[in-house]
Amino acid sequence: MHHNQPGPDLHKGTRARRAAERLKRYRHALLLRAVQGAAYGASTTAASLFVIWLHSRF
């Protein structure tokens, strides 16, 4: 009896590894989006503060 299909443990291991890779990629994308969002928020806040400061000067 020969079956080229890997055993259940090996299959489970590959599935777990694939899930871990997907999770890592997802976390990386989430972190990148969070950093971009924070940078965007900071820039818009700085711009609005600058505008307010300009308006208060003139």
Side-chain angles (χ1 to χ4, degrees), residues 27-45:
R27 256 177 54 200
H28 181 72
L30 211 66
L31 188 73
L32 203 70
R33 194 171 297 154
V35 167
Q36 282 177 343
Y40 177 73
S43 63
T44 49
T45 304

Side-chain angles (χ1 to χ4, degrees), residues 9-28:
D9 336 328
L10 196 70
H11 193 65
K12 204 182 292 168
T14 2
R15 192 180 295 162
R17 197 178 300 128
R18 200 171 296 144
E21 278 293 317
R22 193 179 297 141
L23 193 71
K24 199 184 294 172
R25 201 173 301 136
Y26 177 71
R27 256 177 54 200
H28 181 72

